[in-house]
């Protein structure tokens, strides 16, 4: 991987040729049909005014951080109004050069290392989004019906329901495939060959390759990637689906039952022997045809109820029931602990206001779970965590006894509980705190209850 020193500048600055505004010119009516000429002149459709406006508002709505040039989403409108003419001229001429992406690292789920992201400049995000909007209709209708990631009208919930259906049909073994560092290992030539199957406009092909080759700014040095596609840009999910569509078509050709969400692919079979055979042959296909490597340590042939797919697992019954995966529960508890700690010294109502968006979003994703007991257990655990905050805040035995009496406990019981010598976590789960601060108390403060919502929506 080559590298060079860099001094990031704002992208697209230069003399304005007189044309201002996003996409100031439009195409003729003849260019709007799905003709070969239109595909060959795709760049004109990319820079067309309505497409660029749509891309602009999508980027603004997504917000996000600044790239290497430091330009924020709030500054984007003025920048495009002042510089769109030169940007458009360079795009149409095929001479536009993307800026490097900014490398940031975020924790992987479960705290297992860091995941690198590449943040393009806001200008490049608009251009990538405009490309995405024009390219998606060419591919999406031909993508597999069992590809669920990063597609309009498709979702993780659909993939999860389909996986359960496969197991209910008797495919009680799963080939759980993990592609090793997929986004870092994408072969540029193989990917561009797949893109060129439908894109004949050489300017678009050149621009996409430039985005793949755009430098990555790490510690003041620009590293030029020889493979991979940085996660973080609007175009990356579509490019990954274009590449992995070959895998989908191969699985369909062989008659396999599968679900794929981005680079997470499960294949459902009726026996361990069949699963091992499939894992071996598909691993070989990926390595030979797409130059992708299967992580043998993380991939396995196993029972579906022993594996996790998109955060869910399931029971072993003939008609399996969906369950929340143990890792998702562990991550939620970690986030609740962190938020609860940040609320110490403040009112319980304030802490609950911090928790509500997290709990609501978590339940919205895991609302498909059919095993209710985990929701009841989590509700109880969260209430205990909040009671623990109260016990810590009271500090002195006198304060603890007084507050317990205010909540209706007898003087004798209050003093016995306040002076029991036990720690905050033990007391938060003890009968005196449950009696003084029952579920109804937290309901009045607006605490989100998983079980209450599950009963309503089941």
């Amino acid at each position: 991987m080559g590298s060079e020193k860099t001094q990031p500048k704002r992208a697209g600055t230069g003399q304005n040729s007189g044309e201002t505004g996003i996409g100031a010119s439009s195409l003729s009516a003849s260019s709007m049909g799905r003709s070969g000429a239109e595909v060959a002149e795709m760049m004109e459709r990319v820079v067309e005014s309505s497409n660029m406006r749509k891309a602009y508002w999508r980027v603004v709505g997504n917000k996000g951080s600044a790239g290497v040039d430091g330009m924020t989403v709030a500054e984007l409108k003025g920048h495009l109004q002042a510089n769109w003419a030169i940007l458009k001229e360079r795009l149409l001429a095929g001479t536009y050069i993307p800026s490097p992406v900014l490398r940031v690292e975020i924790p992987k789920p479960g705290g297992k290392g860091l995941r690198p992201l590449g943040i393009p400049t806001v200008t490049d995000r608009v251009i990538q989004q405009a490309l995405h909007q024009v390219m998606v209709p060419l591919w999406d209708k031909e993508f597999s019906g069992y590809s669920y990631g990063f597609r309009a009208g498709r979702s993780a919930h659909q993939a999860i329901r389909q996986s359960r259906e496969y197991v209910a049909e008797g495919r009680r073994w799963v080939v759980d495939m993990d592609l090793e560092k997929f986004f870092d290992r994408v072969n540029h030539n193989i990917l561009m060959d797949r893109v060129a199957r439908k894109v004949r406009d050489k300017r678009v092909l050149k621009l996409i390759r430039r985005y793949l080759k755009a430098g990555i700014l790490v510690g003041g040095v620009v590293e030029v990637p020889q493979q991979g596609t940085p996660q973080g840009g609007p175009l990356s999910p579509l490019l990954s689906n274009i590449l992995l569509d070959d895998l989908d078509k191969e699985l369909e050709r062989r008659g396999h039952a599968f679900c794929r969400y981005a680079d997470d692919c499960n294949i459902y079979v009726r026996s361990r022997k069949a699963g091992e055979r499939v894992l071996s042959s598909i691993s070989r296909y990926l390595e030979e045809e797409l130059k992708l490597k299967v992580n043998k340590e993380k991939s396995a042939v196993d029972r579906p109820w022993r594996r996790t797919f998109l955060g869910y697992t399931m029971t072993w019954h003939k008609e399996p029931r969906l369950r929340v995966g143990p890792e998702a529960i562990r991550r939620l508890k970690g986030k609740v602990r962190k938020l609860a700690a940040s609320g110490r010294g403040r009112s319980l109502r304030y802490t609950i206001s911090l928790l509500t968006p997290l709990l609501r979003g978590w339940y919205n994703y895991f609302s498909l779970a059919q095993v209710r007991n985990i929701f009841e257990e989590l509700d109880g655990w969260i209430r205990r965590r909040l009671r623990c905050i109260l016990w810590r805040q009271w500090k002195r035995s006198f304060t603890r006894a007084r507050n317990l009496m205010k909540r209706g406990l007898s003087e004798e019981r209050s003093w016995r509980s306040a002076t029991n010598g036990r720690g905050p976590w033990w007391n938060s789960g003890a009968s005196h705190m449950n009696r003084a601060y029952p579920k109804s108390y937290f309901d009045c403060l607006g605490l989100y209850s998983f079980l209450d919502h599950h009963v309503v929506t089941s």
Side-chain angles (χ1 to χ4, degrees):
M1 181 176 292
S3 63
E4 59 177 340
K5 293 288 183 180
T6 184
Q7 294 181 345
K9 298 183 292 184
R10 291 186 180 271
T13 56
Q15 184 178 357
N16 194 305
S17 63
E19 183 180 13
T20 61
I22 300 174
S25 68
S26 60
L27 295 175
S28 65
S30 62
S31 70
M32 298 306 293
R34 287 279 188 264
S35 63
E38 181 193 23
V39 175
E41 298 177 355
M42 184 180 288
M43 189 61 82
E44 279 72 14
R45 293 180 55 222
V46 170
V47 301
E48 196 269 333
S49 88
S50 62
N51 187 57
M52 291 302 301
R53 287 195 188 97
K54 183 179 177 182
Y56 166 79
W57 286 114
R58 184 65 180 266
V59 170
V60 170
N62 289 340
K63 299 180 182 179
S65 303
V68 296
D69 59 2
M71 187 189 302
T72 66
V73 171
E75 300 173 278
L76 178 59
K77 182 177 181 180
H79 172 73
L80 290 177
Q81 287 175 336
N83 297 289
W84 172 241
I86 189 66
L87 282 170
K88 179 179 177 182
E89 179 183 334
R90 290 173 179 173
L91 289 167
L92 290 174
T95 59
Y96 178 79
I97 306 296
S99 299
V101 299
L102 179 64
R103 168 67 59 83
V104 297
E105 294 181 327
I106 60 172
K108 289 184 177 180
K112 300 175 181 176
L114 297 173
R115 172 174 289 137
L117 293 181
I119 302 178
T121 64
V122 287
T123 302
D124 279 321
R125 294 211 290 272
V126 171
I127 296 171
Q128 285 194 34
Q129 181 63 36
L131 278 168
H132 180 275
Q133 291 163 185
V134 171
M135 291 171 65
V136 162
L138 299 178
W139 271 278
D140 196 71
K141 60 187 176 182
E142 296 181 14
F143 281 154
S144 169
Y146 301 101
S147 167
Y148 298 94
F150 308 114
R151 298 178 61 192
R154 299 276 171 158
S155 68
H157 278 187
Q158 291 174 330
I160 292 157
R161 288 192 185 99
Q162 182 62 68
S163 67
R164 179 191 172 278
E165 186 177 322
Y166 285 144
V167 179
E169 291 171 353
R171 297 178 175 89
R172 296 172 68 82
W173 291 88
V174 62
V175 181
D176 187 352
M177 296 183 60
D178 181 88
L179 296 179
E180 187 173 297
K181 298 181 179 179
F182 168 73
F183 287 95
D184 295 333
R185 293 183 180 274
V186 170
N187 183 288
H188 291 171
N189 290 333
I190 292 176
L191 173 59
M192 290 307 302
D193 179 66
R194 271 63 180 170
V195 173
R197 292 173 181 174
K198 291 186 178 294
V199 175
R200 291 194 289 275
D201 190 323
K202 293 183 179 179
R203 296 166 298 178
V204 173
L205 292 173
K206 186 185 296 184
L207 180 59
I208 294 173
R209 186 176 283 276
R210 283 174 177 165
Y211 274 122
L212 293 174
K213 297 286 188 182
I216 302 172
L217 182 63
V218 183
V221 176
V222 173
E223 300 175 350
V224 180
Q226 301 304 314
Q227 61 181 6
T229 172
Q231 298 182 70
L235 203 54
S236 182
L238 175 61
L239 294 179
S240 67
N241 272 338
I242 289 172
L243 181 64
L244 291 176
D245 186 55
D246 276 24
L247 170 63
D248 298 341
K249 295 297 191 292
E250 180 66 16
L251 293 172
E252 288 178 338
R253 186 186 68 80
R254 299 186 187 191
H256 290 314
F258 72 97
C259 296
R260 184 177 66 79
Y261 191 95
D263 59 334
D264 200 345
C265 183
N266 276 9
I267 307 167
Y268 295 85
V269 296
R270 297 182 185 274
S271 69
R272 176 183 286 277
K273 187 175 181 179
E276 290 172 347
R277 185 170 61 249
V278 169
L279 178 59
S280 176
S281 63
I282 294 300
S283 296
R284 187 164 55 252
Y285 169 83
L286 286 167
E287 292 179 8
E288 293 177 357
E289 299 297 325
L290 300 182
K291 307 304 179 188
L292 297 173
K293 188 176 180 180
V294 173
N295 188 323
K296 295 180 180 179
E297 291 183 2
K298 295 183 179 179
S299 301
V301 178
D302 206 342
R303 296 292 195 179
W305 47 90
R306 295 175 187 158
R307 307 294 292 185
T308 301
F309 181 52
L310 302 178
Y312 281 81
T313 184
M314 63 184 73
T315 66
W316 53 268
H317 300 88
K318 185 175 181 181
E319 289 290 332
R321 291 181 295 163
L322 294 172
R323 300 174 57 189
V324 181
E327 184 62 25
I329 296 168
R330 194 185 72 80
R331 288 202 301 268
L332 174 67
K333 286 187 174 182
K335 292 178 181 178
V336 169
R337 287 190 188 97
K338 186 175 181 180
L339 284 176
S342 69
R344 288 177 187 169
R346 305 198 182 190
S347 70
L348 211 58
R349 192 181 295 274
Y350 173 80
T351 302
I352 288 172
S353 73
L354 295 179
L355 288 173
T356 297
L358 168 66
L359 302 181
R360 181 181 289 117
W362 190 88
Y363 177 76
N364 286 342
Y365 183 77
F366 287 104
S367 59
L368 294 183
Q370 297 163 300
V371 179
R372 294 178 49 197
N373 65 340
I374 188 57
F375 296 127
E376 185 174 8
E377 291 172 10
L378 284 171
D379 279 347
W381 181 85
I382 292 167
R383 290 194 296 270
R384 184 176 180 181
R385 182 60 57 179
L386 294 173
R387 293 188 193 103
C388 187
I389 292 175
L390 287 176
W391 194 264
R392 288 180 183 276
Q393 287 178 343
W394 294 341
K395 295 182 180 178
R396 296 167 57 207
S397 297
F398 174 80
T399 307
R400 289 167 178 170
R402 183 186 61 190
N403 285 322
L404 290 174
M405 284 187 278
K406 283 182 179 179
R407 293 296 302 168
L409 271 64
S410 68
E411 182 177 358
E412 187 274 332
R413 187 179 182 188
S414 296
W415 275 105
R416 189 174 69 248
S417 300
T419 58
N420 61 28
R422 301 275 191 167
W425 183 245
W426 186 92
N427 277 284
S428 66
S431 60
H432 53 272
M433 284 297 282
N434 278 275
R435 173 77 179 275
Y437 295 91
K439 179 180 181 299
S440 58
Y441 174 83
F442 295 102
D443 289 343
C444 290
L445 291 178
L447 179 63
Y448 190 91
S449 168
F450 296 135
L451 190 59
D452 287 354
H453 285 80
H454 196 64
V455 170
V456 170
T457 59
S458 297

